[in-house]
Amino acid sequence: MYKILKKEVLAPTVSLFDIEAPMVAKSAQAGQFVILRTTDEGERIPLTIADFDREKGTITCVFQEVGKTTTELAKFNIGDSLKDFVGPLGEPSHIENFGRVVVIGGGVGVAPIHPIARALKEAGNEVIGIIGARTGELLFWEDKLRSACTELRVTTDDGSYVRQGFVTDVLKEVIEEKGDIALCIAIGPLPMMRAVCNMTKEYNLKTVVSLNSIMVDGTGMCGCCRVSVGGETKFACVDGPEFDGHLVDFAEMARRSVIYKEQEQVAMDQYHQCTCSCGGGK
Amino acid sequence: MAIIPKKHPMPTQDPIVRAKNFNEVALGYDEETVVAEASRCLQCKKEPCREGCPVEVDIPAFIKLAAERDFAGAIKKLKEKNALPAVCGRVCPQENQCEKYCTVGKKNEPVGIGRIERFCADWELANGVLPQQVAEPTGKKVAIIGSGPSSLTCAADLAKLGHQVTIFEALHVAGGVLMYGIPEFRLPKAVVQAEIQNLKKLGVEIQVNAVVGKFATVDQLMEEGGFDAAFIGTGAGLPYFMNIPGENACGVYSANEFLTRTNLMKAYKFPENDTPIRVGRKVAVLGGGNVAMDAARTALRLGAEESWIVYRRSKNELPARHEEAEHAEEEGVKFAFLTSPTKIHYDDNYWVTGMECLRYELGEPDASGRRSPVPIEGSEFMIDVDIVVVAIGQGPNPLVPRTTKGLECNKRGNIIANLETGATSKPGVYAGGDVVTGAATVILAMGAGRTAANSIHAYLSQK
């Protein structure tokens, strides 16, 4: 169960897995997420679904090594199995023919924006894609996004690939060039999504963001992922993960996302110590 | 022979020692004590204790066998009616059930029925489980959604009747609230898993990591999955919050989260186990039920210097079992009665720094018959805390009700089911436990699971 059938290193510290999970693949839709555990002692971490293949019964996950669990996960190889894998969780993206839409993927956010772009295009939208990364070598799936979108624009923060600029710089150009845009969907690091929302607010452009809050069960049971949206408390796991970005309290979200920063460091230190001294860490 | 007036005391870990570990508090009787306690039973003709048992255990019969040291016979008798005796012997509120009606209890302390039950169940777990009889396969398939006490009971009953039962559990282990909610020190997780292994021996299949309403709906299970009937026992998993300012600050937990991190994810073993938890210097737990007691006692074990129960009524109205509140107090949990928070204060990093409260006094009795708490004007004061755990109750998780066509729910989101049969508004679909009644006890949920199993069996026999 939950065997890794394919592994790709997409960029330094960014990996892709195709995971055997037919039950999840059968009903997965763009915008939803899974929760996985690496080992019996592992924590439950949410990852947004990057792709799914109903026939093969696989789910594609893309993740960046940011803490102990993701670092450990990156060491798994083809043929290894995850301890647990559950989904699809959360509400799917709302897909309809809006007209012209902009989808933005920043960093690893490029992965989950892909099935959304594809679904929007299939629904008849003109999909303008914007993808960006800190630097050229961190950028991936340009080809996949190019075919999922009607038009794709690429940018890097440091200008090492294609052009220099944040995704918001490109977004501004797109808005001014194209005029009427019905909807913007942005997935990426919190500061990026926040910056996108600040900009689209000025243009009164409805913007959806996907929140990757800290979660435990992912089914609405613990409330760890709560976030204020338009002054109301919502659970990202069951009410989201997508919300109206103009209503999200990003400041609260940012502060809640670092609740376990100290413990993450402890876990990481211990993990490195273990992998160095005994050579036994997975 | 004169009756021994008091129950044989339950040996427990010393409060000072146990407040720092997660080992079980109550250590259980030894063989001599259990025989002596079982011998206190009068074997009276009226058997009033049986009326107090929601799963109709033949109490005098199993106690007689225990008194005769026939523990194999005693556990067999128990298991005719109770699929989870090791659990019930530990967490049932016997004082409000079987023991409340005990004839011995009229003039003296009642027979310690729960303690004898626990001994018999533990005896079986230690000495090897006796095979149970399973009827010939009927060829009928039943889907059980959730794996808490109501589901486990329903599954066991149906499996024994020869039906093919599959349990779908959302989390990565079966057991529901017995695994994520009730702490290790009250109900060791190894005991729960041993009981679940027994169910598997009856032929019950358990699919973990399976969120019904997400990977498949109840309708899909029945139409495409070939299930002839379904039982929904998804419990009360939705945490309620106070809706006061500052409640989303870092350091405010729902009791569900606090307990799930600790029990299910074993955060008390961090960093060997990966799931972290923040335990402050001073923890305030809001609420006065068993869950609140569990959270406050857990906080002490996780290393909090002070752990407070903040409850808006007085000690007399505490909804928790008397024994639980007493254990908490012995361990050093402090109580702030007639107190309720109005606002949570936090620092620049959004971490809790304190809790603004109002003092209350008791007014006229309310609908529940308890004197209702009335805030005292101008009584605002601050409590210095850095962690707040909200344990004011849970509602039904909406995932299954929301995705099941034609399933009627009440205003609070509970599934409407006939309490006599467990039948819902949807043919072939039954429900029981907290998702129907709202948060209650393990044994009431088990009783509902039993009721539904009987109805499902009748339904399948006609089909």
Side-chain angles (χ1 to χ4, degrees):
Chain A
M1 284 264 267
Y2 320 133
K3 196 190 269 186
I4 296 164
L5 299 181
K6 179 176 159 191
K7 179 181 180 178
E8 256 182 67
V9 176
L10 296 177
T13 76
V14 179
S15 302
L16 170 150
F17 284 154
D18 277 359
I19 295 149
E20 186 179 37
M23 256 171 47
V24 187
K26 192 173 158 243
S27 48
Q29 293 180 62
Q32 291 185 294
F33 66 95
V34 295
I35 281 187
L36 62 81
R37 280 203 318 155
T38 49
T39 65
D40 245 338
E41 292 74 39
E43 60 182 337
R44 295 169 63 96
I45 61 159
L47 289 176
T48 315
I49 293 171
D51 209 346
F52 46 85
D53 187 325
R54 300 202 203 286
E55 274 168 29
K56 281 193 205 151
T58 58
I59 295 285
T60 304
C61 289
V62 172
F63 62 94
Q64 184 159 28
E65 294 164 46
V66 287
K68 189 216 158 176
T69 300
T70 42
T71 306
E72 184 177 58
L73 187 61
K75 296 203 167 63
F76 277 64
N77 285 309
I78 294 175
D80 292 343
S81 288
L82 301 176
K83 180 68 194 162
D84 295 295
F85 192 84
V86 56
L89 300 171
E91 290 293 312
S93 305
H94 176 67
I95 304 291
E96 62 170 71
N97 191 351
F98 298 100
R100 181 184 290 140
V101 296
V102 176
V103 298
I104 306 175
V108 258
V110 169
I113 206 74
H114 164 258
I116 300 172
R118 185 177 58 195
L120 284 167
K121 195 175 163 192
E122 279 167 8
N125 290 282
E126 178 191 343
V127 182
I128 301 165
I130 303 172
I131 59 171
R134 207 153 30 81
T135 183
E137 70 169 354
L138 291 175
L139 204 72
F140 59 91
W141 276 17
E142 186 182 341
D143 289 350
K144 272 187 98 142
L145 264 296
R146 202 170 292 286
S147 62
C149 299
T150 318
E151 178 190 338
L152 183 73
R153 302 189 185 192
V154 180
T155 185
T156 48
D157 296 359
D158 65 357
S160 58
Y161 183 67
V162 182
R163 61 165 281 178
Q164 197 269 321
F166 295 119
V167 291
T168 40
D169 297 327
V170 183
L171 174 62
K172 195 175 177 100
E173 291 163 16
V174 169
I175 293 172
E176 280 167 9
E177 218 175 283
K178 305 272 182 181
D180 61 323
I181 297 166
L183 177 71
C184 172
I185 302 180
I187 306 182
L190 273 182
M192 182 211 94
M193 292 194 284
R194 191 179 193 172
V196 166
C197 290
N198 285 340
M199 166 172 288
T200 56
K201 240 181 232 172
E202 286 171 31
Y203 292 95
N204 209 13
L205 166 56
K206 186 177 161 67
T207 302
V208 170
V209 294
S210 177
L211 302 181
N212 192 3
S213 315
I214 300 175
M215 294 181 188
V216 184
D217 62 288
T219 61
M221 204 185 83
C222 82
C224 177
C225 64
R226 60 196 192 278
V227 51
S228 298
V229 181
E232 262 183 72
T233 296
K234 298 280 183 189
F235 289 180
C237 66
V238 287
D239 300 319
E242 294 182 359
F243 292 104
D244 181 337
H246 293 169
L247 300 177
V248 169
D249 183 340
F250 281 103
E252 178 185 279
M253 176 76 202
R255 290 183 291 190
R256 284 191 65 83
S257 71
V258 293
I259 288 180
Y260 295 107
K261 209 175 169 187
E262 280 171 38
Q263 281 91 340
E264 280 165 20
Q265 195 54 53
V266 170
M268 205 60 195
D269 289 348
Q270 163 133 344
Y271 179 67
H272 282 314
Q273 222 170 29
C274 181
T275 40
C276 295
S277 61
C278 68
K282 200 153 178 191
Chain B
M1 194 176 72
I3 291 173
I4 303 166
K6 290 197 176 232
K7 274 188 209 176
H8 289 79
M10 173 59 100
T12 52
Q13 274 197 76
D14 180 83
I16 313 270
V17 175
R18 74 182 191 232
K20 299 285 167 211
N21 70 49
F22 277 86
N23 300 333
E24 194 169 11
V25 168
L27 301 170
Y29 282 164
D30 59 17
E31 188 173 323
E32 293 315 312
T33 314
V34 83
V35 169
E37 184 63 27
S39 306
R40 292 181 67 226
C41 174
L42 298 173
Q43 294 292 320
C44 58
K45 284 231 166 60
K46 280 174 73 185
E47 305 183 338
C49 51
R50 295 183 68 172
E51 284 164 42
C53 179
V55 294
E56 304 158 340
V57 167
D58 187 347
I59 295 167
F62 98 80
I63 289 187
K64 183 164 188 282
L65 291 161
E68 293 163 356
R69 292 181 200 263
D70 179 3
F71 302 117
I75 189 66
K76 197 172 159 212
K77 186 51 74 181
L78 266 164
K79 282 187 146 181
E80 282 172 11
K81 294 290 183 182
N82 188 340
L84 310 168
V87 171
C88 288
R90 287 173 166 83
V91 301
C92 262
Q94 288 99 5
E95 67 276 15
N96 293 325
Q97 294 171 346
C98 51
E99 294 180 16
K100 184 176 172 181
Y101 301 99
C102 173
T103 305
V104 176
K106 293 218 166 86
K107 288 189 180 152
N108 298 293
E109 279 190 9
V111 175
I113 299 168
R115 295 170 183 184
I116 302 170
E117 177 183 32
R118 171 183 162 167
F119 178 90
C120 297
D122 287 357
W123 180 90
E124 188 193 36
L125 294 178
N127 289 278
V129 175
L130 306 159
Q132 283 189 275
Q133 272 201 324
V134 176
E136 285 296 305
T138 61
K140 303 283 187 198
K141 282 173 73 181
V142 185
I144 307 248
I145 299 147
S147 66
S150 69
S151 294
L152 293 176
T153 302
C154 189
D157 283 6
L158 290 168
K160 282 195 244 175
L161 291 164
H163 303 297
Q164 192 188 329
V165 177
T166 305
I167 293 179
F168 295 95
E169 164 57 43
L171 291 168
H172 55 267
V173 284
V177 73
L178 306 175
M179 288 304 289
Y180 74 74
I182 303 177
E184 177 78 20
F185 57 84
R186 278 216 292 135
L187 179 62
K189 301 309 141 206
V191 169
V192 180
Q193 288 309 308
E195 301 258 44
I196 290 170
Q197 286 308 318
N198 290 347
L199 281 196
K200 286 188 182 168
K201 287 184 188 145
L202 295 173
V204 173
E205 193 199 321
I206 300 180
Q207 279 199 29
V208 295
N209 295 324
V211 186
V212 173
K214 288 295 174 186
F215 83 92
T217 61
V218 172
D219 294 282
Q220 282 169 330
L221 288 177
M222 295 183 70
E223 285 156 23
E224 299 161 26
F227 288 97
D228 301 290
F231 173 77
I232 304 172
T234 46
L238 183 78
Y240 288 146
F241 286 93
M242 302 277 295
N243 294 318
I244 56 174
E247 210 169 16
N248 288 351
C250 304
V252 182
Y253 286 95
S254 73
N256 268 2
E257 182 185 357
F258 195 72
L259 293 172
T260 300
R261 282 182 181 273
T262 313
N263 300 321
L264 179 75
M265 305 310 297
K266 304 211 172 350
Y268 62 92
K269 291 186 182 167
F270 180 86
E272 288 99 89
N273 280 60
D274 290 337
T275 303
I277 194 163
R278 288 284 297 231
V279 194
R281 200 172 41 78
K282 205 166 164 182
V283 178
V285 178
L286 314 181
N290 288 322
V291 174
M293 299 303 145
D294 285 345
R297 296 170 73 190
T298 295
L300 282 181
R301 284 162 173 79
L302 290 169
E305 287 168 27
E306 278 182 40
S307 177
W308 284 83
I309 290 277
V310 177
Y311 181 54
R312 64 195 182 118
R313 302 183 199 240
S314 75
K315 188 171 185 173
N316 292 330
E317 287 80 25
L318 274 179
R321 277 182 85 185
H322 176 70
E323 183 183 301
E324 300 307 326
E326 200 177 76
H327 276 162
E329 204 171 351
E330 283 170 11
E331 289 167 12
V333 171
K334 295 178 177 164
F335 291 80
F337 291 115
L338 294 165
T339 302
S340 188
T342 50
K343 186 178 180 179
I344 293 166
H345 291 250
Y346 48 83
D347 63 16
D348 292 344
N349 293 318
Y350 211 38
W351 277 96
V352 173
T353 54
M355 194 166 73
E356 205 172 307
C357 296
L358 271 181
R359 292 195 201 282
Y360 280 63
E361 59 192 351
L362 291 178
E364 295 299 307
D366 62 12
S368 72
R370 297 178 297 179
R371 292 178 63 190
S372 61
V374 184
I376 302 171
E377 241 178 273
S379 66
E380 291 86 353
F381 70 105
M382 282 285 287
I383 302 185
D384 159 41
V385 291
D386 44 17
I387 294 286
V388 176
V389 180
V390 186
I392 56 167
Q394 302 93 234
N397 189 309
L399 273 185
V400 174
R402 228 188 247 171
T403 54
T404 309
K405 271 180 262 159
L407 186 69
E408 281 176 24
C409 294
N410 68 18
K411 265 190 284 183
R412 289 185 303 275
N414 296 103
I415 296 174
I416 297 172
N418 182 328
L419 294 180
E420 308 279 300
T421 64
T424 67
S425 56
K426 199 173 164 73
V429 177
Y430 297 76
D434 285 1
V435 74
V436 172
T437 57
T441 61
V442 168
I443 190 69
L444 286 175
M446 289 176 63
R450 151 88 22 92
T451 302
N454 290 337
S455 309
I456 291 170
H457 180 59
Y459 170 79
L460 293 176
S461 305
Q462 284 168 8
K463 215 179 153 184

